[in-house]
Amino acid sequence: MTSLAHERYRPTSRRRPAKTEEARPLRVGVLGLSAESPIGLIEPLSRAALPVRAISIHLLGTPGTSGRAPGAGVSFTHAILDEPLDGLVLVGAPNEPDVEPEALENFRELMEIVEYARGFVPSTLGLGTGGLLLARALGLQVVALSRGVHGLVPHRVLRRDHPLLGRGNEVFFAAEDRTFRITDASMDAAVGAGRVTALAHSRDGGVSLFESSDGRCVAHLGHPERKPPRIGDDGRLSAFYDSARESARAHAAAFFEAWVMRVNDLGERGRARSRP
């Protein structure tokens, strides 16, 4: 495992560069945790300030992947053999609630991929079930919620100065479709030991956004990649719903852009270390 795997990410104060034709596109693998390809995630990544080449990755043992059409995705091994990955995103099936990581048919393969990524991919982002998978890799305990959390949910920011949440807002909305959470006890222990940094939480779902202490693993238990859902047509509350949807859209755009910047910054540090 490279020494970069243990480096703490520290944001720089430089301005975000604009997209240029000369810039090398960042190779970001998008790994779907089911046979359904997470194509919808590629669009928000493409809106980041830096050019991104999103690569759809499928698991070897996932039913329905053997008959994929050309260009529909490659295996993780194929993806890293072509060129090193700058970033990796783990995401569940669109419009389906999260599941317990150990219940995933390819759990062992996924954990091997995550361990490889922690050593050789600058940053790994887990969304929904992907976030729960990262939680398990970081030694956190996952339990079922007594009541599921669904729809647009407010989240309170715990670190307002953090680069992934750097707009100074105390609260943001995000789409949720959750039946699992991280236990408070395991999160508190990991934070106390300096292994994890908690970034945001929701009232009913606990800590919902966190990262590893080295900044190389980021987990969002919500679904910023999904379009904010509509919540009824009650005229008395329409202004609130519109505001919540706008908050969710703004959070998603800023979050993905900030994560892409992190991918680039950590990758540059790794390339600098490897130069003679």
Side-chain angles (χ1 to χ4, degrees):
M1 187 171 293
T2 65
S3 59
L4 181 62
H6 303 287
E7 180 178 351
R8 171 70 185 177
Y9 175 78
R10 293 181 177 85
T12 61
S13 59
R14 63 182 173 81
R15 294 173 60 88
R16 292 172 179 172
K19 288 183 179 180
T20 63
E21 293 183 359
E22 293 78 15
R24 181 185 73 86
L26 296 169
R27 297 185 77 246
V28 176
V30 180
L31 196 164
L33 305 184
S34 71
E36 194 171 352
S37 179
I39 295 173
L41 180 59
I42 294 175
E43 196 271 334
L45 287 175
S46 70
R47 294 199 302 264
L50 293 171
V52 172
R53 179 190 171 196
I55 302 164
S56 181
I57 298 175
H58 62 75
L59 296 167
L60 295 177
T62 301
T65 57
S66 60
R68 285 174 180 261
V74 298
S75 69
F76 183 78
T77 301
H78 190 167
I80 61 176
L81 285 178
D82 284 347
E83 292 181 63
L85 288 176
D86 296 295
L88 176 66
V89 185
L90 309 172
V91 60
N95 304 316
E96 290 184 7
D98 57 9
V99 298
E100 187 177 17
E102 285 82 350
L104 292 167
E105 184 174 352
N106 304 87
F107 176 71
R108 184 169 298 179
E109 180 188 356
L110 283 164
M111 292 301 290
E112 290 176 355
I113 289 173
V114 168
E115 286 305 312
Y116 175 91
R118 291 180 68 184
F120 299 101
V121 178
S123 186
T124 300
L125 170 63
L127 303 173
T129 300
L132 294 174
L133 190 71
L134 288 184
R136 293 293 294 110
L138 294 171
L140 299 171
Q141 185 179 3
V142 176
V143 295
L145 284 162
S146 57
R147 182 178 180 180
V149 179
H150 308 285
L152 280 178
V153 175
H155 299 254
R156 183 167 295 280
V157 174
L158 301 175
R159 294 283 300 273
R160 294 179 64 184
D161 60 339
H162 196 277
L164 292 176
L165 299 166
R167 294 198 170 187
N169 295 328
E170 292 184 5
V171 176
F172 65 85
F173 280 78
E176 291 262 20
D177 198 3
R178 278 212 278 154
T179 53
F180 292 90
R181 62 168 288 167
I182 311 301
T183 65
D184 292 337
S186 68
M187 178 60 70
D188 290 345
V191 170
R195 293 187 290 108
V196 170
T197 301
L199 302 178
H201 74 94
S202 63
R203 185 188 65 182
D204 297 322
V207 172
S208 53
L209 180 55
F210 56 92
E211 66 175 357
S212 59
S213 58
D214 57 12
R216 292 169 61 91
C217 292
V218 179
H220 196 316
L221 303 188
H223 289 281
E225 79 280 10
R226 298 181 184 177
K227 290 184 178 180
R230 289 196 167 273
I231 317 174
D233 297 314
D234 190 330
R236 296 171 300 173
L237 297 176
S238 60
F240 171 78
Y241 292 150
D242 289 344
S243 177
R245 284 193 294 271
E246 181 56 34
S247 171
R249 283 191 289 265
H251 164 69
F255 176 76
F256 281 119
E257 183 168 330
W259 181 73
V260 169
M261 286 299 300
R262 169 170 293 189
V263 167
N264 181 70
D265 290 347
L266 286 175
E268 284 184 350
R269 294 184 188 190
R271 289 187 289 274
R273 283 173 175 265
S274 65
R275 295 189 190 107

